[in-house]
């Protein structure tokens, strides 16, 4: 219980610059003193039990807290056009809040996922009274999380959920069947309503000016704010948080801002800090923390001027999985990282976990001439283990059954004689050919337990036509060797003694990513599917390898 009683005023109409009225609930501490303000703008409706709990917590501790339905959602006027009105609306809302008689003029923002990205878009507008942010499970710029040129199938689930003034019940639909529909741009017919935004996104199958309105990660030098970045290793939008922390610590508008960044990474999914368990794993009682108190301390420092030595502490609190312990670090990636290539090897039959693929730090020698091949058939894609809705895409799932497939190449180290810590960004350097003019290659990093449990840690994909970037699609020449660099996001995992490090290579991860039809036709518009013959190279000339950030034992 905090210091103050709380009074609540509901459905306040805040007028935007174009006259549209947005609805907000205001939680205020019962005091005559001027207090700082916190604003949270949400498309997920402001009147939930969780919001009541969170808002009361900060109001009891001396903040005016405003939760607002974004334009077109809940009790707010206007049309909901995801992201495109949020920067100006955020600016206007912050400045309205700062002008209230009870407010000290210092305003902070917080929120997760959609609520986090719109904080960044608002920050680029430089509202004068915005003094600090807490950005949780933040989405990246377009095509960073799904570098396929078009929306992922499960994005339709999110668009449907937010397609009216109130939340739509996604559990009423058979999403597994819907995701298989072709052409992709018309997949919305199977949800029973035409989704204009879904179809509009398919008119922009690469990073053009339409998408760039949502970009912020190329503009950190314009932002002069302290930010607390929070995510989990199994957040399905995890990549954004380390990128943003690194971007702000290296490129923010001032030295003060660059030194005023903090990051918390837990063993959590998109719904952070809710349970010690995820899938079949239990990360232990220490995996949950008092996150509210950390956020309160952040705002107390920046909005109330409490100098408690917070900035003298290491910038990162991170949970190291495997060891299942929290650790503090100073920078990202860690300065002591030993970037280590683990090369693919085989005698030509790395297909499935029963094949002859192996992984080692030894570079292929001149005598190694074998390649590995498989058929990628989009009619029978490799499954990505996940629940069908967009609430959480994947976790520390067991891929041992999937690894029985011949269209999954498997490369494993010998059984580890000692613990090996991998903490940081993961990248795959893959040399491959295909007989198609466009195709995909996928990578997974796996921790293989002594009992055979194949724990997915992280993964990535490249679409061949985007091998040179999302702004410059270009089909490939069949049967020509190309080098593909595949971003596999980040992790912090101690591979324990007795375990193995494993890499899976394939060409699909459905429904996390759409199936590449291999035809080279315009993305999302075709019903044609064609099998492709894929060849992976791992010889002295073309040494395919995964680059792991190894942290030496202290």
């Amino acid at each position: 219980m905090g210091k103050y009683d709380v009074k609540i005023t509901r459905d306040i109409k805040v007028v935007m610059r174009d006259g549209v009225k947005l609805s907000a609930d205001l939680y205020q501490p019962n005091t005559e003193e001027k207090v700082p303000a916190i604003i949270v703008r949400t498309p997920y409706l402001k009147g939930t039990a969780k919001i009541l709990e969170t808002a009361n917590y900060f109001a009891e501790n001396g903040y005016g807290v405003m939760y607002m339905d974004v334009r077109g959602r809940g009790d707010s006027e206007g049309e909901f056009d995801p992201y495109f009105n949020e920067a100006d609306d955020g600016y206007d809302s912050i400045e309205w809040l700062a002008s209230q008689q009870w407010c000290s003029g210092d305003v902070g923002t917080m929120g997760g996922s959609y609520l986090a990205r719109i904080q960044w878009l608002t920050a680029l507008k430089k509202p004068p009274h915005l003094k600090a942010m807490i950005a949780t499970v933040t989405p990246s710029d377009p095509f960073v999380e799904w570098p396929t040129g078009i929306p992922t199938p499960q994005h339709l689930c999110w668009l449907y959920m937010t397609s009216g003034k109130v939340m739509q019940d996604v559990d009423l639909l058979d999403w597994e069947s819907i995701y298989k529909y072709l052409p992709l741009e018309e997949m919305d017919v199977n949800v029973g309503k035409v989704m204009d935004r879904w179809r509009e996104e398919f008119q922009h199958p690469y990073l053009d000016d339409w998408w760039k309105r949502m970009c912020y990660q190329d503009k950190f030098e314009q932002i002069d704010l302290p930010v607390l970045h929070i995510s989990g290793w199994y957040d399905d939008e995890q990549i954004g948080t380390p990128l943003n922390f690194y971007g702000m610590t290296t490129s923010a508008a001032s030295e003060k801002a660059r030194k005023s960044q903090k990051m918390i990474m837990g063993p959590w999914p998109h719904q952070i800090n809710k349970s010690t368990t995820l899938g079949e794993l239990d990360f232990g009682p220490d995996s949950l923390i008092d996150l509210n108190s950390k956020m309160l301390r952040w705002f107390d420092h920046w909005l109330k001027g409490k100098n408690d030595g917070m900035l003298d502490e290491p910038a990162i609190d991170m949970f190291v999985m495997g060891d299942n312990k929290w650790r503090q670090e100073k920078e990202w990636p860690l300065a002591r990282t030993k970037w280590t290539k683990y090369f693919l090897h085989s005698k030509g039959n790395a297909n499935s976990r029963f094949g002859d693929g192996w992984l080692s730090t030894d570079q292929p020698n001149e005598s190694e001439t074998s390649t590995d091949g498989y058929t990628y058939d989009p009619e029978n894609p490799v499954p990505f283990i996940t629940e069908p809705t967009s609430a959480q895409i994947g976790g520390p799932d067991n891929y041992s059954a999937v690894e029985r497939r011949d269209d999954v190449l498997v490369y494993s180290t010998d059984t580890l004689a000692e613990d090996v810590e991998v903490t940081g960004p993961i990248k795959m350097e893959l040399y491959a050919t295909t007989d198609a003019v466009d195709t995909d290659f996928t990578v997974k990093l796996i921790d293989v337990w002594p009992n055979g449990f194949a724990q997915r840690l992280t993964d990535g994909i490249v679409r061949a036509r985007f091998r040179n970037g999302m702004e410059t699609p270009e089909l490939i020449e069949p049967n020509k060797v190309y080098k593909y660099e595949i971003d596999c996001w980040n992790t912090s995992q101690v591979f324990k003694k007795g375990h193995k490090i494993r890499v899976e290579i394939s060409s699909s991860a459905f429904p996390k990513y759409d199936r590449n039809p291999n035809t080279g036709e315009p993305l999302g518009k075709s019903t044609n599917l064609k099998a492709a013959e894929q060849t992976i190279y791992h010889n002295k000339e073309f040494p395919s390898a995964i680059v792991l950030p190894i942290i030496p034992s202290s």
Side-chain angles (χ1 to χ4, degrees), residues 150-184:
I150 51 177
T152 62
Q154 286 167 288
H155 177 57
L156 180 63
C157 176
W158 184 86
L159 287 175
Y160 174 75
M161 180 179 68
T162 58
S163 64
K165 298 287 282 187
V166 300
M167 302 293 283
Q168 309 297 306
D169 189 346
V170 298
D171 293 327
L172 301 180
L173 298 174
D174 180 6
W175 291 105
E176 291 184 2
S177 175
I178 290 170
Y179 295 148
K180 297 175 183 176
Y181 186 88
L182 294 175
L184 281 174

Side-chain angles (χ1 to χ4, degrees), residues 47-339:
T48 68
K50 178 59 180 174
I51 284 174
L52 178 66
E53 177 186 344
T54 302
N56 273 327
Y57 174 82
F58 286 98
E60 288 168 357
N61 283 282
Y63 291 89
V65 184
M66 189 166 79
Y67 272 82
M68 172 182 281
D69 291 328
V70 300
R71 180 180 295 240
R73 294 285 292 156
D75 296 318
S76 290
E77 297 177 352
E79 296 295 324
F80 180 55
D81 192 7
Y83 296 112
F84 289 155
N85 295 302
E86 304 297 7
D88 287 341
D89 286 353
Y91 182 107
D92 293 350
S93 302
I94 288 169
E95 294 308 300
W96 179 90
L97 196 55
S99 72
Q100 300 308 294
Q101 190 173 9
W102 54 265
C103 183
S104 68
D106 295 319
V107 180
T109 59
M110 68 179 184
S113 196
Y114 187 99
L115 292 64
R117 184 195 259 171
I118 66 176
Q119 291 180 64
W120 289 100
L121 297 175
T122 298
L124 289 171
K125 295 289 185 176
K126 298 181 173 61
H129 292 91
L130 176 59
K131 301 299 174 62
M133 292 165 43
I134 299 178
T136 306
V137 295
T138 311
S140 290
D141 285 348
F143 303 127
V144 174
E145 290 157 26
W146 25 281
T148 58
I150 51 177
T152 62
Q154 286 167 288
H155 177 57
L156 180 63
C157 176
W158 184 86
L159 287 175
Y160 174 75
M161 180 179 68
T162 58
S163 64
K165 298 287 282 187
V166 300
M167 302 293 283
Q168 309 297 306
D169 189 346
V170 298
D171 293 327
L172 301 180
L173 298 174
D174 180 6
W175 291 105
E176 291 184 2
S177 175
I178 290 170
Y179 295 148
K180 297 175 183 176
Y181 186 88
L182 294 175
L184 281 174
E185 71 170 352
E186 298 176 10
M187 193 168 72
D188 55 353
V189 300
N190 273 13
V191 306
K193 64 189 298 187
V194 172
M195 311 286 291
D196 291 338
R197 179 57 178 264
W198 173 257
R199 297 194 177 204
E200 186 176 17
E201 291 182 357
F202 278 87
Q203 306 313 308
H204 305 273
Y206 63 93
L207 186 58
D208 61 8
D209 289 341
W210 188 87
W211 287 107
K212 287 179 182 179
R213 292 181 291 171
M214 281 189 248
C215 290
Y216 66 92
Q217 289 176 317
D218 57 346
K219 303 179 182 71
F220 291 125
E221 76 282 353
Q222 300 179 28
I223 299 175
D224 193 8
L225 289 168
V227 184
L228 174 58
H229 312 254
I230 306 172
S231 187
W233 300 121
Y234 281 105
D235 170 23
D236 53 35
E237 295 185 306
Q238 169 244 91
I239 187 174
T241 296
L243 281 176
N244 293 345
F245 175 79
Y246 176 79
M248 287 296 288
T249 56
T250 58
S251 303
S254 69
E255 184 179 3
K256 180 181 178 182
R258 291 191 290 273
K259 292 182 176 179
S260 301
Q261 308 296 312
K262 294 277 188 179
M263 183 168 71
I264 300 172
M265 295 293 295
W268 306 321
H270 199 57
Q271 296 293 324
I272 61 170
N273 202 41
K274 302 294 183 185
S275 172
T276 66
T277 60
L278 185 58
E280 298 181 40
L281 299 188
D282 189 330
F283 293 104
D286 293 339
S287 61
L288 296 185
I289 61 176
D290 185 356
L291 196 54
N292 274 349
S293 69
K294 289 182 178 291
M295 294 192 294
L296 179 64
R297 188 182 179 208
W298 181 258
F299 281 141
D300 281 351
H301 182 92
W302 295 109
L303 303 184
K304 291 185 177 181
K306 292 186 178 181
N307 189 4
D308 56 4
M310 182 179 65
L311 291 185
D312 297 327
E313 300 171 2
I316 301 172
D317 287 314
M318 51 175 271
F319 190 89
V320 183
M321 300 182 295
D323 275 353
N324 291 349
K325 295 178 180 177
W326 287 94
R327 193 171 74 208
Q328 291 188 312
E329 295 289 349
K330 296 179 180 179
E331 72 287 302
W332 186 266
L334 309 190
R336 64 186 184 279
T337 302
K338 182 180 179 183
W339 301 99

Side-chain angles (χ1 to χ4, degrees), residues 261-461:
Q261 308 296 312
K262 294 277 188 179
M263 183 168 71
I264 300 172
M265 295 293 295
W268 306 321
H270 199 57
Q271 296 293 324
I272 61 170
N273 202 41
K274 302 294 183 185
S275 172
T276 66
T277 60
L278 185 58
E280 298 181 40
L281 299 188
D282 189 330
F283 293 104
D286 293 339
S287 61
L288 296 185
I289 61 176
D290 185 356
L291 196 54
N292 274 349
S293 69
K294 289 182 178 291
M295 294 192 294
L296 179 64
R297 188 182 179 208
W298 181 258
F299 281 141
D300 281 351
H301 182 92
W302 295 109
L303 303 184
K304 291 185 177 181
K306 292 186 178 181
N307 189 4
D308 56 4
M310 182 179 65
L311 291 185
D312 297 327
E313 300 171 2
I316 301 172
D317 287 314
M318 51 175 271
F319 190 89
V320 183
M321 300 182 295
D323 275 353
N324 291 349
K325 295 178 180 177
W326 287 94
R327 193 171 74 208
Q328 291 188 312
E329 295 289 349
K330 296 179 180 179
E331 72 287 302
W332 186 266
L334 309 190
R336 64 186 184 279
T337 302
K338 182 180 179 183
W339 301 99
T340 306
K341 290 187 177 183
Y342 280 73
F343 295 93
L344 309 187
H345 302 266
S346 81
K347 296 180 180 179
N349 295 287
N351 311 75
S352 87
R353 60 186 169 93
F354 306 111
D356 61 13
W358 76 92
L359 193 67
S360 82
T361 56
D362 297 329
Q363 190 162 351
N365 58 44
E366 293 180 353
S367 66
E368 294 185 59
T369 58
S370 297
T371 60
D372 289 306
Y374 61 93
T375 302
Y376 159 49
D377 183 0
E379 295 272 16
N380 182 28
V382 175
F384 186 86
I385 301 171
T386 185
E387 294 298 319
T389 72
S390 60
Q392 167 63 34
I393 303 174
D397 303 298
N398 184 1
Y399 273 83
S400 59
V402 174
E403 293 169 351
R404 299 176 69 93
R405 296 174 57 119
D406 283 343
D407 56 354
V408 178
L409 304 182
V410 178
Y411 305 87
S412 307
T413 63
D414 292 337
T415 300
L416 298 176
E418 58 186 18
D419 292 356
V420 176
E421 180 183 336
V422 174
T423 293
I426 313 296
K427 183 180 73 172
M428 183 76 201
E429 298 176 351
L430 188 70
Y431 294 88
T433 65
T434 178
D435 66 354
V437 294
D438 188 37
T439 194
D440 293 345
F441 292 101
T442 62
V443 179
K444 289 189 188 75
L445 178 63
I446 302 286
D447 183 341
V448 186
W449 295 44
N451 63 4
F453 181 83
Q455 175 191 350
R456 168 190 165 265
L457 294 172
T458 188
D459 63 278
I461 188 171

